[in-house]
Amino acid sequence: MAPVEKLTPSPSSVPKETDYNDSVESPYMIEVADETTSRFTRFKDSFRRKVVDESQKHEVGRQMSKAISLRHLILMALVTGIGTGLLVGTGSVLHKSGPLFLIIGFAIVGSFLYPTLQAAGEMAVNYSDLSGGYNNYPRRFIDESVAFAITWNYCIQWLSVISIELVTAAITISYWNTTVNADVWVTIFYVVIVSINFIGASGYGEAEFFIGSCKIMMIIGFIIMGIVVNVGGGPNHEFIGGRYWRDPGYYTNFKGLCSVFVTGSFAFGQTEFVALSASEQSNPRRAIPVATKLVAYRIVIVMLGSLTIVGLLVPYTSDRLMGSSGGGSHASPFVLAAALHGVKAVPSIINAVILMSVTSVASSALYSSSRTLQSLSEQGFAPSWLNYIDRTGRPLRALFVCAFFGLFSFIAAYKKQETVFNWLLAISGLSQIFTWGGICISHVRFRAALKYNNISTDSLGYVANTGVYGSYYAIIWYCLVLIAQFWIALYPKGEGKPNVTTFFQNYLGVIVLLFFYVCHKLWTRNWSLYVPLKDIDINLDRTLFDEELLAIEKEEEREKWRKAPFYKKIVQVLFL
């Protein structure tokens, strides 16, 4: 039998066992598991609290599993979150805006998402062991009450998305089968996503890699198919070109353009996961810059490329678009792009990928909400009982709680499910804007704190290539989006007078944010609006890099660049 190696601190440094009720051993022992222990015993023991040494007691980020690799992160940057927002939700906004404004709206969202991801990447690399990632930044750089409001909104958003995506998966199945109760399909997909997340970060990463690969192949295949059909190579051998841009037209009105922004933000949602998962990456300094750079390809090719094809092949007045007022069955614009032009097999293939995509987003939502809930607990914004990392690096208790909330998806067979989910979306619909805005404001404050403490950006492990001005640009757009959303919420497209129900369904997220903010202010009696620069501890939890070593590495990289052949330079510019 292999011996169990233990490194035990001196008796004076070991806390009382009563401090931790989860184990009869000291929580600060480092163990090497007995190889002859049965699988069941190892599985059972994996749910116990992770044992760490004294130095890591308050550094939960270092206790998380380091199982997400670069290849996982690359696929996450390209396709994580591509589900209902892009593949289904764009039908409604295409109907409201027209194809040109749909593309322009998504391009605008992409233009302020990219600097947001660069800002998140900079702080994620330099605070790589901070659990909760960007959910922890507002507390440190802005204000506790702002952090409390934004993070709880973000958590509620993804708890809602778990149910929304699972019900969407059940609805997608109805394309092939309408006789089986929807809750049967919800049960199957619920078990799948819970199993993926209980395997841990490695299971989540591998599942996202596999499904992400399918998404990429589908999007590329869809673009190729769309080009062929558009130029007359489809089953009908009919040249389409810009026919639908001439009749019925290529845009509606300015309100239509404004309606794109929130749906576009939802469709781009979860792109920021590359920063959230920093504490579960083995080498975030290498992985995160590559992943954030690839976001540009997601914006241009995956989003704008596919939506251009949709706009060319589907008239925005089609009564089969989801969100249109026409009768009959409604379908995804991606499915319609093939079905309307006689392509037989492709609609089922696209629907199958949509099914995998929404299941993937539900899994990502469970992953995100559990990490966010654990981060809330660590920050003192949720019960401390939830701040529990097990021996395999999972935030176990937070995961159980979030999985429980996922059971709400069993209203799939409820007759008024659409009404319920409209209000679920109303609560969390703007959370993505709040989270991204919080990242950019935190980045601006982070740079200000560096300057105040005379710390050069040369000492940072990674510096955002859009700089602090990129964050200012994004913040301006977030304010404009909130103003535009207020306008179309108060005066919906096609209605001449205010509609109370529509207003709350489109703008309730702001009211919920303000409610959390005010309640936290009243509870803490802290009336300051922001943390003064002199009170920001810039080095707390920061990953410190040797400035001289960084300078040497940069010089080596420049030398490699000078000596590299032309094709390697192209690869490096495009991808690394």
Side-chain angles (χ1 to χ4, degrees), residues 306-524:
S306 62
L307 290 176
T308 299
I309 297 298
V310 166
L312 288 171
L313 298 181
V314 182
Y316 77 85
T317 54
S318 172
D319 60 0
R320 294 182 61 187
L321 275 172
M322 288 185 174
S324 68
S325 56
S329 61
H330 292 171
S332 158
F334 285 78
V335 172
L336 286 180
L340 289 176
H341 302 285
V343 183
K344 300 296 183 183
V346 172
S348 288
I349 295 172
I350 294 175
N351 233 42
V353 176
I354 290 174
L355 183 62
M356 285 194 294
S357 298
V358 296
T359 306
S360 165
V361 174
S363 174
S364 298
L366 181 55
Y367 174 89
S368 175
S369 57
S370 61
R371 269 66 180 175
T372 303
L373 192 57
Q374 180 272 321
S375 175
L376 281 163
S377 176
E378 186 184 0
Q379 295 178 69
F381 295 156
S384 59
W385 179 82
L386 294 166
N387 191 19
Y388 180 101
I389 308 296
D390 69 15
R391 294 187 178 185
T392 56
R394 299 168 298 201
L396 190 64
R397 290 173 180 169
L399 191 55
F400 271 119
V401 170
C402 295
F404 175 78
F405 275 96
L407 294 173
F408 196 72
S409 56
F410 283 94
I411 69 163
Y414 179 52
K415 292 181 180 179
K416 295 185 178 180
Q417 57 159 277
E418 186 175 343
T419 303
V420 174
F421 279 111
N422 280 340
W423 286 105
L424 273 177
L425 283 171
I427 293 172
S428 58
L430 291 168
S431 293
Q432 203 70 61
I433 299 295
F434 302 146
T435 301
W436 291 349
I439 290 172
C440 290
I441 296 171
S442 297
H443 183 238
V444 170
R445 297 277 292 163
F446 169 65
R447 286 294 190 92
L450 286 177
K451 187 176 181 180
Y452 179 84
N453 289 278
N454 295 316
I455 299 174
S456 171
T457 54
D458 292 336
S459 66
L460 302 180
Y462 174 66
V463 179
N465 58 33
T466 53
V468 72
Y469 294 107
S471 293
Y472 279 119
Y473 167 81
I475 291 168
I476 292 170
W477 267 111
Y478 293 131
C479 295
L480 292 175
V481 168
L482 291 175
I483 293 169
Q485 186 67 10
F486 179 83
W487 179 44
I488 62 174
L490 193 60
Y491 296 97
K493 184 177 180 288
E495 297 185 27
K497 58 182 181 179
N499 185 310
V500 175
T501 302
T502 305
F503 175 78
F504 279 104
Q505 285 188 346
N506 283 278
Y507 220 66
L508 188 59
V510 175
I511 298 170
V512 171
L513 181 84
L514 292 174
F515 173 78
F516 275 100
Y517 177 80
V518 172
C519 285
H520 189 266
K521 284 293 183 189
L522 292 172
W523 178 262
T524 60

Side-chain angles (χ1 to χ4, degrees), residues 164 193 206 230 250 296 374 381 388 391 426 474 525 536 558:
I164 292 166
I193 69 163
E206 292 298 339
N230 187 263
Y250 52 87
Q374 180 272 321
F381 295 156
Y388 180 101
R391 294 187 178 185
R525 302 292 179 182
I536 295 176
R558 282 193 288 267

